[in-house]
Amino acid sequence: MSDTALATAATAAELEPVGEDSPRGAAVLRELLRKPRFVLSALAILVIALMAAFPRLFTATDPTVCDLKLSKGAPSAAHWFGYDIQGCDYYANVIYGARPSVLVSVSVCVVGFAVACVLGMLAGYFPGFVDSLVSRTADVLFALPGLVAMIVILQAFSSRSVWTIAFVIVLLGWPAGMRLMRSTVLSVRTREYVLASRALGAGAQHILRVHILPNSVAPLLAMTTLTVGAAVGTEAALTFLGIGLQPPTISWGLQIAIAASYRDDVHLFLFPALLLTITVMAFMITGDTVRDALDPKLKR
Amino acid sequence: MARTRRIVKAATGTALAVLLAGCSGAGSGDGAGKDDGHSMAIATAAEVPYLNPSNDNGTTGIQIESALWAPLTRVDAKTGKLVNVVADSVTSKDAKTWTIKIKPGWKFTNGEKLTAKSFVDTWNYTAYAPHAFANNGAFQRVEGYEDLNPAKGKPKATTLSGLKVVDDLTFTVTLKGAFSPYPTTLSYLGVAALSAETLKDPDQFKHKPIGYGAYKLDGGWKAGQPVRLMRNKDYAGKDAPQADHITFRFFSNPETAYNEFLAGNVDYVAVPSSKIDSYKTDAPGKWSQAKAAAGINYLNLPVTLKPYTDTRVRRALSLALDRDSLAKLKPGNFPATSFTAPSVDGHRENTCSDCRLDVARAKKLLREAGGFPGKLRLFFASDNPGEQVYAEALGNMWRQKLGLKIQYVGKPGAEIGPLANAGKLDGIRIMGWGHDYPALEDYLTPMFASYGDVNTGRYRDAKVDRMLGEANAQVDQAQATRDYQAIEDRIAEQMPVLPLSHSRDVYLHAEGVEPLNAPFANVDPVRSTFAD
């Protein structure tokens, strides 16, 4: 019995693209590219990422050149988005506002993935003390109401940057990913090829790296892509509530917060909100399609 | 030495922090007194933890207490003249020893008679440093104040040697020096009297105020809940307002109060900065503007810290500000060109020669002073969107016109005041000050005397202190005014604060409710008149 299983696993590894637990890279990409939903949202992400990395590609105007006399000027041909309350060109400000959103989402995504992956693997592979420690810590963090806990923690920082916000989001966000990772590891660690490897005398480190990680990472990966969009939204929400980013940082959350108070100048609200919505949606749809591709079992 | 007296009218620099809700009966969510007479619901921005006029210097608290107590004297809002309320007469031959007679027939809501002894006991209690009452500083002119408030160690006395009870309704006050505007200072509610029952243990009566004003508590009150007031049938004054029931409600966010007004739950509200473009269309026919510009908005500089120690730096900062554009960010604001309020007798425009935009001169002064090293720290109330916008506007001007690096420090509004009072603000603070009694002196002393209550920038000029003492002792009012003006001229040379704007506050009021709006005082919704 175990021989057959071992053989199947070996064949599966040789015969791409059909893996036993998850499909492999190239096939995933091919499948994704066939979907217009994915292509469109990925393009949107690309544009937003370019905006964050090289805002000068989109505007030659310095967003910090302001003249209070022009305060709240309406959109015109020369100034597409009009002027904000400070009399700064709003188009330039909205373009430059992409950076904090993208930085927060990318760092939350990368760090959050790494933390959840490592802790999930440890908890899943080493039952007993390690599992209890990690899982109970996660339970404690899970019990905290998310946004309220973030507000409390952020109050402790006298000045807040993109990194403090990313840190707080990761701090309170990793348990979800960790639990998912742990459960997949739990199911993988009893597979025959893992048992075989262990029987052949392989160490924990080897097994985790070679067998467990590649065969259990897909669900977490899919979930992480979904959380990127949520992180963008959380950053904007915290900033909107006045405990996120602070001026003079340029961010959509700040722009929306101010515009919500001065809601009679609709253009001030419309443009950052529109870009924020597009960004969150693009990340969400991408995440959704990626999850479908990575985790065929979830497909209807 | 606890010298804090009466706090800034608009500490956060917004329009009047007090938001008022009036209701002429219909439409109010408040059950109180629907069928008997006029009732108003008054909402305030800051929650009041307790009610005690001797231990309160916040705008909101004083406003509620002004309904529960009555002042000795009052400056008539319509004529600007000082009239007696509880006092029958306040007289002196030398402006140093004052005889105060109070009218007979006043009594506290617990039945106690209001006597000369009530005042003397309350004043002694308040002036005694270990009691740590907020209005301790209101008595710093009285003889013997130092014995109760030593710089170090224990007080030598428990009563002010300058206070003496003559008979049931008469007492005398001996000041440390002559001070001719003394009767005007008695219009401040911080010198009202507490009942003997309260003085035994003031903590017991924090939420059970015993006053002698036109109103008394209607039922009980707990901190955080609305304060409900009903007419005090025993009120001995002749100036009782029209409303029969008043309810003060608390809204921490000025925009919430504004929206409550639009929803019809609130009948009087001050317009917050962020509604500057919309209030006219939101509430057509229901908005008004204060007749009096009774206050000044300004920037407080930490003048003991480098580089603010250099007058040239302070003047450069002032010259780089475009006050016309800044004033447009706040409802009812117009640029300030001097250090006092236009509603005050003796006020002059254009005393501040650096309160204008002159970038070339600003740059020259800054260059002579050796530039501005490091970052300029600018504090703002992070829970007030209007103030954040205002702070950024200031920062943008300095950044673009003088090339300074700005660091914005956002903190909840309630945290900035205590930091400033502790002398821990290492940057510029947006402030406002409105007088307790309408006098040039009530701008100069609190803002610029070395012992001034709102002089949180720790400005200290021996000559200003001395000139203030001399002007205060001046019996001839016209000469005193000239003396105060001379002090303002000296301050203008040094620019310890940067005047920004005066405001004639804009407010909304429901149909049929007319708040008292007169040229000599801020709008007072407690004293509203009703159409029907």
PDB file of all heavy atoms in Angstrom, chain B residues 18 20 40 42 62-68 214-215 229 240-246 248 268 514-516 523-530:
ATOM      1  N   VAL B  18     -18.237  75.506  22.282  1.00  0.00           N
ATOM      2  CA  VAL B  18     -19.510  75.172  22.888  1.00  0.00           C
ATOM      3  C   VAL B  18     -20.584  75.078  21.832  1.00  0.00           C
ATOM      4  O   VAL B  18     -20.804  75.998  21.074  1.00  0.00           O
ATOM      5  CB  VAL B  18     -19.905  76.263  23.889  1.00  0.00           C
ATOM      6  CG1 VAL B  18     -21.220  75.914  24.527  1.00  0.00           C
ATOM      7  CG2 VAL B  18     -18.831  76.401  24.913  1.00  0.00           C
ATOM      8  N   LEU B  20     -24.426  74.456  20.984  1.00  0.00           N
ATOM      9  CA  LEU B  20     -25.646  74.668  21.677  1.00  0.00           C
ATOM     10  C   LEU B  20     -26.839  74.070  20.987  1.00  0.00           C
ATOM     11  O   LEU B  20     -26.938  74.128  19.796  1.00  0.00           O
ATOM     12  CB  LEU B  20     -25.863  76.167  21.714  1.00  0.00           C
ATOM     13  CG  LEU B  20     -25.714  76.722  23.087  1.00  0.00           C
ATOM     14  CD1 LEU B  20     -26.851  76.222  23.917  1.00  0.00           C
ATOM     15  CD2 LEU B  20     -24.402  76.301  23.712  1.00  0.00           C
ATOM     16  N   MET B  40     -35.207  74.065  26.024  1.00  0.00           N
ATOM     17  CA  MET B  40     -34.091  74.036  25.096  1.00  0.00           C
ATOM     18  C   MET B  40     -33.206  72.853  25.441  1.00  0.00           C
ATOM     19  O   MET B  40     -33.051  72.531  26.608  1.00  0.00           O
ATOM     20  CB  MET B  40     -33.210  75.276  25.262  1.00  0.00           C
ATOM     21  CG  MET B  40     -33.881  76.578  25.079  1.00  0.00           C
ATOM     22  SD  MET B  40     -32.670  77.878  25.311  1.00  0.00           S
ATOM     23  CE  MET B  40     -31.524  77.528  24.004  1.00  0.00           C
ATOM     24  N   ILE B  42     -29.352  71.997  25.070  1.00  0.00           N
ATOM     25  CA  ILE B  42     -28.079  72.619  24.726  1.00  0.00           C
ATOM     26  C   ILE B  42     -27.002  71.552  24.690  1.00  0.00           C
ATOM     27  O   ILE B  42     -26.804  70.837  25.660  1.00  0.00           O
ATOM     28  CB  ILE B  42     -27.712  73.706  25.742  1.00  0.00           C
ATOM     29  CG1 ILE B  42     -28.761  74.816  25.702  1.00  0.00           C
ATOM     30  CG2 ILE B  42     -26.328  74.241  25.488  1.00  0.00           C
ATOM     31  CD1 ILE B  42     -28.520  75.925  26.677  1.00  0.00           C
ATOM     32  N   ILE B  62     -18.277  76.444  32.531  1.00  0.00           N
ATOM     33  CA  ILE B  62     -18.659  77.785  32.952  1.00  0.00           C
ATOM     34  C   ILE B  62     -20.027  78.146  32.366  1.00  0.00           C
ATOM     35  O   ILE B  62     -20.850  78.788  33.007  1.00  0.00           O
ATOM     36  CB  ILE B  62     -17.583  78.814  32.517  1.00  0.00           C
ATOM     37  CG1 ILE B  62     -16.312  78.626  33.351  1.00  0.00           C
ATOM     38  CG2 ILE B  62     -18.114  80.229  32.636  1.00  0.00           C
ATOM     39  CD1 ILE B  62     -16.394  79.109  34.774  1.00  0.00           C
ATOM     40  N   GLN B  63     -20.278  77.690  31.164  1.00  0.00           N
ATOM     41  CA  GLN B  63     -21.562  78.011  30.551  1.00  0.00           C
ATOM     42  C   GLN B  63     -22.732  77.373  31.313  1.00  0.00           C
ATOM     43  O   GLN B  63     -23.741  78.015  31.564  1.00  0.00           O
ATOM     44  CB  GLN B  63     -21.575  77.531  29.105  1.00  0.00           C
ATOM     45  CG  GLN B  63     -22.893  77.856  28.431  1.00  0.00           C
ATOM     46  CD  GLN B  63     -22.742  78.003  26.949  1.00  0.00           C
ATOM     47  OE1 GLN B  63     -21.885  77.370  26.348  1.00  0.00           O
ATOM     48  NE2 GLN B  63     -23.549  78.833  26.347  1.00  0.00           N
ATOM     49  N   ILE B  64     -22.565  76.104  31.681  1.00  0.00           N
ATOM     50  CA  ILE B  64     -23.626  75.441  32.439  1.00  0.00           C
ATOM     51  C   ILE B  64     -23.754  76.088  33.810  1.00  0.00           C
ATOM     52  O   ILE B  64     -24.842  76.371  34.298  1.00  0.00           O
ATOM     53  CB  ILE B  64     -23.330  73.928  32.576  1.00  0.00           C
ATOM     54  CG1 ILE B  64     -23.237  73.288  31.191  1.00  0.00           C
ATOM     55  CG2 ILE B  64     -24.409  73.243  33.402  1.00  0.00           C
ATOM     56  CD1 ILE B  64     -22.830  71.835  31.210  1.00  0.00           C
ATOM     57  N   GLU B  65     -22.590  76.346  34.436  1.00  0.00           N
ATOM     58  CA  GLU B  65     -22.612  76.932  35.771  1.00  0.00           C
ATOM     59  C   GLU B  65     -23.205  78.337  35.765  1.00  0.00           C
ATOM     60  O   GLU B  65     -23.787  78.785  36.754  1.00  0.00           O
ATOM     61  CB  GLU B  65     -21.194  76.935  36.355  1.00  0.00           C
ATOM     62  CG  GLU B  65     -20.758  75.541  36.789  1.00  0.00           C
ATOM     63  CD  GLU B  65     -19.287  75.264  36.501  1.00  0.00           C
ATOM     64  OE1 GLU B  65     -18.552  76.210  36.176  1.00  0.00           O
ATOM     65  OE2 GLU B  65     -18.885  74.089  36.573  1.00  0.00           O
ATOM     66  N   SER B  66     -23.091  79.038  34.634  1.00  0.00           N
ATOM     67  CA  SER B  66     -23.661  80.387  34.586  1.00  0.00           C
ATOM     68  C   SER B  66     -25.180  80.342  34.661  1.00  0.00           C
ATOM     69  O   SER B  66     -25.824  81.330  34.996  1.00  0.00           O
ATOM     70  CB  SER B  66     -23.210  81.116  33.321  1.00  0.00           C
ATOM     71  OG  SER B  66     -23.903  80.617  32.207  1.00  0.00           O
ATOM     72  N   ALA B  67     -25.771  79.186  34.365  1.00  0.00           N
ATOM     73  CA  ALA B  67     -27.213  79.038  34.510  1.00  0.00           C
ATOM     74  C   ALA B  67     -27.569  78.654  35.943  1.00  0.00           C
ATOM     75  O   ALA B  67     -28.648  78.959  36.421  1.00  0.00           O
ATOM     76  CB  ALA B  67     -27.728  77.987  33.533  1.00  0.00           C
ATOM     77  N   LEU B  68     -26.633  77.977  36.612  1.00  0.00           N
ATOM     78  CA  LEU B  68     -26.889  77.492  37.974  1.00  0.00           C
ATOM     79  C   LEU B  68     -26.509  78.512  39.047  1.00  0.00           C
ATOM     80  O   LEU B  68     -26.986  78.453  40.168  1.00  0.00           O
ATOM     81  CB  LEU B  68     -26.108  76.197  38.217  1.00  0.00           C
ATOM     82  CG  LEU B  68     -26.572  74.981  37.415  1.00  0.00           C
ATOM     83  CD1 LEU B  68     -25.529  73.877  37.469  1.00  0.00           C
ATOM     84  CD2 LEU B  68     -27.898  74.472  37.939  1.00  0.00           C
ATOM     85  N   ALA B 214     -30.543  81.238  38.001  1.00  0.00           N
ATOM     86  CA  ALA B 214     -31.891  81.225  37.446  1.00  0.00           C
ATOM     87  C   ALA B 214     -32.401  79.797  37.254  1.00  0.00           C
ATOM     88  O   ALA B 214     -33.587  79.585  37.055  1.00  0.00           O
ATOM     89  CB  ALA B 214     -31.904  81.967  36.120  1.00  0.00           C
ATOM     90  N   TYR B 215     -31.498  78.825  37.309  1.00  0.00           N
ATOM     91  CA  TYR B 215     -31.894  77.432  37.101  1.00  0.00           C
ATOM     92  C   TYR B 215     -31.340  76.544  38.209  1.00  0.00           C
ATOM     93  O   TYR B 215     -30.380  76.898  38.883  1.00  0.00           O
ATOM     94  CB  TYR B 215     -31.388  76.931  35.739  1.00  0.00           C
ATOM     95  CG  TYR B 215     -31.991  77.673  34.586  1.00  0.00           C
ATOM     96  CD1 TYR B 215     -31.350  78.787  34.046  1.00  0.00           C
ATOM     97  CD2 TYR B 215     -33.216  77.288  34.058  1.00  0.00           C
ATOM     98  CE1 TYR B 215     -31.919  79.497  33.008  1.00  0.00           C
ATOM     99  CE2 TYR B 215     -33.795  77.986  33.011  1.00  0.00           C
ATOM    100  CZ  TYR B 215     -33.141  79.095  32.490  1.00  0.00           C
ATOM    101  OH  TYR B 215     -33.712  79.782  31.466  1.00  0.00           O
ATOM    102  N   LEU B 229     -31.811  71.036  33.409  1.00  0.00           N
ATOM    103  CA  LEU B 229     -32.050  72.144  34.329  1.00  0.00           C
ATOM    104  C   LEU B 229     -33.500  72.597  34.261  1.00  0.00           C
ATOM    105  O   LEU B 229     -34.131  72.514  33.211  1.00  0.00           O
ATOM    106  CB  LEU B 229     -31.152  73.337  33.961  1.00  0.00           C
ATOM    107  CG  LEU B 229     -29.659  73.088  33.833  1.00  0.00           C
ATOM    108  CD1 LEU B 229     -28.962  74.394  33.488  1.00  0.00           C
ATOM    109  CD2 LEU B 229     -29.089  72.518  35.115  1.00  0.00           C
ATOM    110  N   ALA B 240     -33.742  86.837  34.649  1.00  0.00           N
ATOM    111  CA  ALA B 240     -33.861  85.420  34.305  1.00  0.00           C
ATOM    112  C   ALA B 240     -34.162  85.248  32.816  1.00  0.00           C
ATOM    113  O   ALA B 240     -34.984  85.969  32.261  1.00  0.00           O
ATOM    114  CB  ALA B 240     -34.960  84.776  35.132  1.00  0.00           C
ATOM    115  N   PRO B 241     -33.491  84.308  32.160  1.00  0.00           N
ATOM    116  CA  PRO B 241     -33.749  84.048  30.742  1.00  0.00           C
ATOM    117  C   PRO B 241     -35.154  83.482  30.537  1.00  0.00           C
ATOM    118  O   PRO B 241     -35.821  83.078  31.490  1.00  0.00           O
ATOM    119  CB  PRO B 241     -32.687  83.012  30.367  1.00  0.00           C
ATOM    120  CG  PRO B 241     -31.683  83.045  31.454  1.00  0.00           C
ATOM    121  CD  PRO B 241     -32.413  83.471  32.681  1.00  0.00           C
ATOM    122  N   GLN B 242     -35.589  83.417  29.268  1.00  0.00           N
ATOM    123  CA  GLN B 242     -36.958  82.983  28.966  1.00  0.00           C
ATOM    124  C   GLN B 242     -37.189  81.480  29.073  1.00  0.00           C
ATOM    125  O   GLN B 242     -38.289  81.045  29.373  1.00  0.00           O
ATOM    126  CB  GLN B 242     -37.316  83.421  27.542  1.00  0.00           C
ATOM    127  CG  GLN B 242     -37.740  84.865  27.451  1.00  0.00           C
ATOM    128  CD  GLN B 242     -38.332  85.171  26.086  1.00  0.00           C
ATOM    129  OE1 GLN B 242     -38.583  84.275  25.290  1.00  0.00           O
ATOM    130  NE2 GLN B 242     -38.528  86.439  25.808  1.00  0.00           N
ATOM    131  N   ALA B 243     -36.160  80.694  28.777  1.00  0.00           N
ATOM    132  CA  ALA B 243     -36.360  79.243  28.733  1.00  0.00           C
ATOM    133  C   ALA B 243     -36.757  78.710  30.107  1.00  0.00           C
ATOM    134  O   ALA B 243     -36.222  79.147  31.131  1.00  0.00           O
ATOM    135  CB  ALA B 243     -35.100  78.557  28.250  1.00  0.00           C
ATOM    136  N   ASP B 244     -37.714  77.778  30.132  1.00  0.00           N
ATOM    137  CA  ASP B 244     -38.131  77.187  31.404  1.00  0.00           C
ATOM    138  C   ASP B 244     -37.334  75.925  31.717  1.00  0.00           C
ATOM    139  O   ASP B 244     -37.111  75.587  32.857  1.00  0.00           O
ATOM    140  CB  ASP B 244     -39.619  76.852  31.360  1.00  0.00           C
ATOM    141  CG  ASP B 244     -40.450  78.111  31.188  1.00  0.00           C
ATOM    142  OD1 ASP B 244     -40.473  78.922  32.124  1.00  0.00           O
ATOM    143  OD2 ASP B 244     -41.018  78.295  30.102  1.00  0.00           O
ATOM    144  N   HIS B 245     -36.958  75.223  30.657  1.00  0.00           N
ATOM    145  CA  HIS B 245     -36.149  74.022  30.836  1.00  0.00           C
ATOM    146  C   HIS B 245     -34.965  74.090  29.873  1.00  0.00           C
ATOM    147  O   HIS B 245     -35.136  74.441  28.721  1.00  0.00           O
ATOM    148  CB  HIS B 245     -36.962  72.764  30.521  1.00  0.00           C
ATOM    149  CG  HIS B 245     -38.045  72.509  31.521  1.00  0.00           C
ATOM    150  ND1 HIS B 245     -37.868  71.702  32.619  1.00  0.00           N
ATOM    151  CD2 HIS B 245     -39.306  72.978  31.595  1.00  0.00           C
ATOM    152  CE1 HIS B 245     -38.982  71.665  33.324  1.00  0.00           C
ATOM    153  NE2 HIS B 245     -39.879  72.446  32.724  1.00  0.00           N
ATOM    154  N   ILE B 246     -33.798  73.738  30.379  1.00  0.00           N
ATOM    155  CA  ILE B 246     -32.615  73.698  29.518  1.00  0.00           C
ATOM    156  C   ILE B 246     -31.937  72.354  29.721  1.00  0.00           C
ATOM    157  O   ILE B 246     -31.771  71.889  30.849  1.00  0.00           O
ATOM    158  CB  ILE B 246     -31.623  74.827  29.860  1.00  0.00           C
ATOM    159  CG1 ILE B 246     -32.270  76.191  29.607  1.00  0.00           C
ATOM    160  CG2 ILE B 246     -30.353  74.695  29.044  1.00  0.00           C
ATOM    161  CD1 ILE B 246     -31.376  77.361  29.919  1.00  0.00           C
ATOM    162  N   PHE B 248     -28.417  70.368  28.646  1.00  0.00           N
ATOM    163  CA  PHE B 248     -27.117  70.388  27.974  1.00  0.00           C
ATOM    164  C   PHE B 248     -26.777  68.965  27.552  1.00  0.00           C
ATOM    165  O   PHE B 248     -26.798  68.056  28.384  1.00  0.00           O
ATOM    166  CB  PHE B 248     -26.024  70.903  28.915  1.00  0.00           C
ATOM    167  CG  PHE B 248     -26.112  72.366  29.210  1.00  0.00           C
ATOM    168  CD1 PHE B 248     -26.896  72.832  30.241  1.00  0.00           C
ATOM    169  CD2 PHE B 248     -25.408  73.285  28.452  1.00  0.00           C
ATOM    170  CE1 PHE B 248     -26.989  74.187  30.524  1.00  0.00           C
ATOM    171  CE2 PHE B 248     -25.483  74.636  28.722  1.00  0.00           C
ATOM    172  CZ  PHE B 248     -26.280  75.088  29.759  1.00  0.00           C
ATOM    173  N   TYR B 268     -29.610  74.633  18.225  1.00  0.00           N
ATOM    174  CA  TYR B 268     -28.573  75.651  18.180  1.00  0.00           C
ATOM    175  C   TYR B 268     -27.229  74.943  18.093  1.00  0.00           C
ATOM    176  O   TYR B 268     -26.955  74.007  18.843  1.00  0.00           O
ATOM    177  CB  TYR B 268     -28.604  76.529  19.431  1.00  0.00           C
ATOM    178  CG  TYR B 268     -27.535  77.578  19.419  1.00  0.00           C
ATOM    179  CD1 TYR B 268     -27.801  78.872  19.018  1.00  0.00           C
ATOM    180  CD2 TYR B 268     -26.227  77.262  19.790  1.00  0.00           C
ATOM    181  CE1 TYR B 268     -26.813  79.825  18.974  1.00  0.00           C
ATOM    182  CE2 TYR B 268     -25.229  78.206  19.740  1.00  0.00           C
ATOM    183  CZ  TYR B 268     -25.530  79.491  19.349  1.00  0.00           C
ATOM    184  OH  TYR B 268     -24.541  80.428  19.304  1.00  0.00           O
ATOM    185  N   GLU B 514     -34.064  82.671  19.366  1.00  0.00           N
ATOM    186  CA  GLU B 514     -33.062  83.692  19.076  1.00  0.00           C
ATOM    187  C   GLU B 514     -32.076  83.792  20.218  1.00  0.00           C
ATOM    188  O   GLU B 514     -32.382  84.358  21.265  1.00  0.00           O
ATOM    189  CB  GLU B 514     -33.725  85.066  18.876  1.00  0.00           C
ATOM    190  CG  GLU B 514     -34.422  85.265  17.547  1.00  0.00           C
ATOM    191  CD  GLU B 514     -33.457  85.318  16.367  1.00  0.00           C
ATOM    192  OE1 GLU B 514     -32.261  85.613  16.586  1.00  0.00           O
ATOM    193  OE2 GLU B 514     -33.903  85.039  15.249  1.00  0.00           O
ATOM    194  N   PRO B 515     -30.890  83.237  20.066  1.00  0.00           N
ATOM    195  CA  PRO B 515     -29.881  83.364  21.126  1.00  0.00           C
ATOM    196  C   PRO B 515     -29.494  84.826  21.315  1.00  0.00           C
ATOM    197  O   PRO B 515     -29.631  85.619  20.382  1.00  0.00           O
ATOM    198  CB  PRO B 515     -28.703  82.569  20.586  1.00  0.00           C
ATOM    199  CG  PRO B 515     -29.254  81.740  19.486  1.00  0.00           C
ATOM    200  CD  PRO B 515     -30.411  82.480  18.920  1.00  0.00           C
ATOM    201  N   LEU B 516     -29.061  85.152  22.507  1.00  0.00           N
ATOM    202  CA  LEU B 516     -28.616  86.520  22.763  1.00  0.00           C
ATOM    203  C   LEU B 516     -27.370  86.799  21.923  1.00  0.00           C
ATOM    204  O   LEU B 516     -26.356  86.130  22.054  1.00  0.00           O
ATOM    205  CB  LEU B 516     -28.298  86.688  24.249  1.00  0.00           C
ATOM    206  CG  LEU B 516     -27.768  88.079  24.637  1.00  0.00           C
ATOM    207  CD1 LEU B 516     -28.838  89.129  24.462  1.00  0.00           C
ATOM    208  CD2 LEU B 516     -27.254  88.073  26.067  1.00  0.00           C
ATOM    209  N   VAL B 523     -22.010  85.092  21.687  1.00  0.00           N
ATOM    210  CA  VAL B 523     -23.387  84.613  21.599  1.00  0.00           C
ATOM    211  C   VAL B 523     -23.700  83.769  22.832  1.00  0.00           C
ATOM    212  O   VAL B 523     -22.903  82.929  23.233  1.00  0.00           O
ATOM    213  CB  VAL B 523     -23.547  83.748  20.338  1.00  0.00           C
ATOM    214  CG1 VAL B 523     -24.965  83.235  20.236  1.00  0.00           C
ATOM    215  CG2 VAL B 523     -23.177  84.555  19.111  1.00  0.00           C
ATOM    216  N   ASP B 524     -24.861  84.009  23.452  1.00  0.00           N
ATOM    217  CA  ASP B 524     -25.233  83.238  24.637  1.00  0.00           C
ATOM    218  C   ASP B 524     -26.586  82.573  24.433  1.00  0.00           C
ATOM    219  O   ASP B 524     -27.643  83.200  24.541  1.00  0.00           O
ATOM    220  CB  ASP B 524     -25.288  84.163  25.860  1.00  0.00           C
ATOM    221  CG  ASP B 524     -25.519  83.383  27.137  1.00  0.00           C
ATOM    222  OD1 ASP B 524     -25.700  82.145  27.050  1.00  0.00           O
ATOM    223  OD2 ASP B 524     -25.528  83.991  28.220  1.00  0.00           O
ATOM    224  N   PRO B 525     -26.588  81.277  24.133  1.00  0.00           N
ATOM    225  CA  PRO B 525     -27.847  80.586  23.856  1.00  0.00           C
ATOM    226  C   PRO B 525     -28.684  80.325  25.098  1.00  0.00           C
ATOM    227  O   PRO B 525     -29.892  80.117  24.975  1.00  0.00           O
ATOM    228  CB  PRO B 525     -27.403  79.276  23.222  1.00  0.00           C
ATOM    229  CG  PRO B 525     -25.948  79.186  23.427  1.00  0.00           C
ATOM    230  CD  PRO B 525     -25.421  80.426  24.009  1.00  0.00           C
ATOM    231  N   VAL B 526     -28.049  80.364  26.289  1.00  0.00           N
ATOM    232  CA  VAL B 526     -28.850  80.194  27.504  1.00  0.00           C
ATOM    233  C   VAL B 526     -29.859  81.327  27.597  1.00  0.00           C
ATOM    234  O   VAL B 526     -30.992  81.149  28.020  1.00  0.00           O
ATOM    235  CB  VAL B 526     -27.941  80.168  28.756  1.00  0.00           C
ATOM    236  CG1 VAL B 526     -28.783  80.233  30.022  1.00  0.00           C
ATOM    237  CG2 VAL B 526     -27.079  78.921  28.741  1.00  0.00           C
ATOM    238  N   ARG B 527     -29.449  82.497  27.169  1.00  0.00           N
ATOM    239  CA  ARG B 527     -30.313  83.667  27.252  1.00  0.00           C
ATOM    240  C   ARG B 527     -31.054  83.892  25.934  1.00  0.00           C
ATOM    241  O   ARG B 527     -31.189  85.015  25.476  1.00  0.00           O
ATOM    242  CB  ARG B 527     -29.499  84.903  27.631  1.00  0.00           C
ATOM    243  CG  ARG B 527     -28.545  84.679  28.803  1.00  0.00           C
ATOM    244  CD  ARG B 527     -27.967  85.952  29.351  1.00  0.00           C
ATOM    245  NE  ARG B 527     -28.895  86.624  30.247  1.00  0.00           N
ATOM    246  CZ  ARG B 527     -29.086  86.286  31.524  1.00  0.00           C
ATOM    247  NH1 ARG B 527     -28.415  85.300  32.049  1.00  0.00           N
ATOM    248  NH2 ARG B 527     -29.949  86.929  32.252  1.00  0.00           N
ATOM    249  N   SER B 528     -31.546  82.817  25.357  1.00  0.00           N
ATOM    250  CA  SER B 528     -32.295  82.938  24.110  1.00  0.00           C
ATOM    251  C   SER B 528     -33.662  83.538  24.371  1.00  0.00           C
ATOM    252  O   SER B 528     -34.215  83.417  25.464  1.00  0.00           O
ATOM    253  CB  SER B 528     -32.500  81.552  23.483  1.00  0.00           C
ATOM    254  OG  SER B 528     -31.280  81.058  23.018  1.00  0.00           O
ATOM    255  N   THR B 529     -34.205  84.146  23.325  1.00  0.00           N
ATOM    256  CA  THR B 529     -35.594  84.579  23.395  1.00  0.00           C
ATOM    257  C   THR B 529     -36.397  83.713  22.437  1.00  0.00           C
ATOM    258  O   THR B 529     -35.871  83.214  21.435  1.00  0.00           O
ATOM    259  CB  THR B 529     -35.752  86.056  23.007  1.00  0.00           C
ATOM    260  OG1 THR B 529     -35.090  86.258  21.759  1.00  0.00           O
ATOM    261  CG2 THR B 529     -35.156  86.960  24.050  1.00  0.00           C
ATOM    262  N   PHE B 530     -37.668  83.508  22.769  1.00  0.00           N
ATOM    263  CA  PHE B 530     -38.516  82.624  21.972  1.00  0.00           C
ATOM    264  C   PHE B 530     -39.608  83.432  21.284  1.00  0.00           C
ATOM    265  O   PHE B 530     -40.146  84.375  21.856  1.00  0.00           O
ATOM    266  CB  PHE B 530     -39.146  81.555  22.868  1.00  0.00           C
ATOM    267  CG  PHE B 530     -38.129  80.631  23.459  1.00  0.00           C
ATOM    268  CD1 PHE B 530     -37.446  80.993  24.605  1.00  0.00           C
ATOM    269  CD2 PHE B 530     -37.860  79.418  22.860  1.00  0.00           C
ATOM    270  CE1 PHE B 530     -36.472  80.146  25.146  1.00  0.00           C
ATOM    271  CE2 PHE B 530     -36.906  78.571  23.403  1.00  0.00           C
ATOM    272  CZ  PHE B 530     -36.212  78.931  24.540  1.00  0.00           C
TER     273      PHE B 530
END
